[in-house]
Amino acid sequence: MSRNPTQKSAISRKSFSDRRSKLTDSTNVITVRIDDNLNNNLEKVRRKLGISKADLIRNYLELSRYIIKQKSSLQSLNDRDFIIIKRSYLRKLIEKEDEDEQIRLGDKLARFINDCARINGKLDDIFYKLDLCDNLGFFRNFIDDNNFVLIDKKFGSQKFVEAFAWRFFNQGEFNVNWTTSKIDDQSKIRTAYQKQVQPIDISSSHYSFEFAKLPEEEE
């Protein structure tokens, strides 16, 4: 399903400044003693990124909202052990599976995100969950001018992303019959898929769906 070509479809990062301005503007100063090696490493990274050391440290501290750093491991907010792998490698692993398995994996990963959000009482907070996906490296937090969430195609195959997004937006379990072969061969399944999932063509490099449109925020 294609969007009206006269509609504005330029991709932009959604500004949440209005939402953040509603929060109490309070700060705290913390002092931490570190050794010279760690300090030198921070300085190298700071220069590489072209930011101040204070901003670099804040970036690291911000990650505590999304992951737990133990002495010798990384953990999720729901106490699952993490490993770090290249996103392109993960995508290749997913694409090697048949679509039934891709759907299962997408649903399972979205359940993980929902579980992490639920721990913080934010299961229904789409903005928080998008930030979580962004900070965990799944896909960048992009929302277009019409409030559609856009998911980078580098995140995974179409069926993997569809199942992920369906669960992520609290639509329940993705229908296992909505595979490409069944959609192409069976008109009843094709009609149900098109009516409920409603994939839309906003960007050639992103997936987007009618159910993944955010409501307008009240002023």
Side-chain angles (χ1 to χ4, degrees), residues 167-181:
R167 176 70 69 178
F168 180 90
F169 283 93
N170 300 322
Q171 298 291 322
E173 187 170 358
F174 192 79
N175 193 324
V176 294
N177 289 319
W178 289 341
T179 59
T180 301
S181 59

Side-chain angles (χ1 to χ4, degrees), residues 177-194:
N177 289 319
W178 289 341
T179 59
T180 301
S181 59
K182 291 182 179 179
I183 290 172
D184 290 341
D185 296 340
Q186 301 182 41
S187 60
K188 185 176 181 180
I189 291 178
R190 180 167 59 253
T191 299
Y193 168 79
Q194 292 174 343

Side-chain angles (χ1 to χ4, degrees), residues 115-158:
D115 286 345
C116 290
R118 186 181 293 108
I119 288 173
N120 286 321
K122 296 184 177 182
L123 177 60
D124 296 322
D125 188 338
I126 296 297
F127 295 104
Y128 173 80
K129 294 198 293 185
L130 287 173
D131 281 342
L132 186 58
C133 289
D134 193 340
N135 281 274
L136 292 180
F138 291 176
F139 52 86
R140 299 183 71 182
N141 185 351
F142 276 101
I143 302 171
D144 79 352
D145 293 337
N146 295 301
N147 270 16
F148 283 96
V149 174
L150 306 180
I151 301 177
D152 195 330
K153 290 184 177 180
K154 293 179 181 179
F155 177 46
S157 63
Q158 181 174 345

Side-chain angles (χ1 to χ4, degrees), residues 52-79:
S52 69
K53 187 179 293 184
D55 283 340
L56 175 63
I57 293 173
R58 287 191 195 97
N59 288 344
Y60 282 125
L61 293 176
E62 279 287 330
L63 284 176
S64 66
R65 299 176 186 269
Y66 311 103
I67 62 175
I68 299 171
K69 176 65 176 76
Q70 299 284 17
K71 181 65 176 179
S72 58
S73 67
L74 289 175
Q75 290 184 329
S76 66
L77 298 180
N78 59 347
D79 298 325

Side-chain angles (χ1 to χ4, degrees), residues 85-100:
I85 64 173
K86 291 176 61 178
R87 185 170 58 177
S88 59
Y89 178 68
L90 176 62
R91 177 185 171 89
K92 288 179 180 178
L93 292 178
I94 294 171
E95 290 177 337
K96 288 181 179 179
E97 302 292 340
D98 58 35
E99 287 191 347
D100 290 333

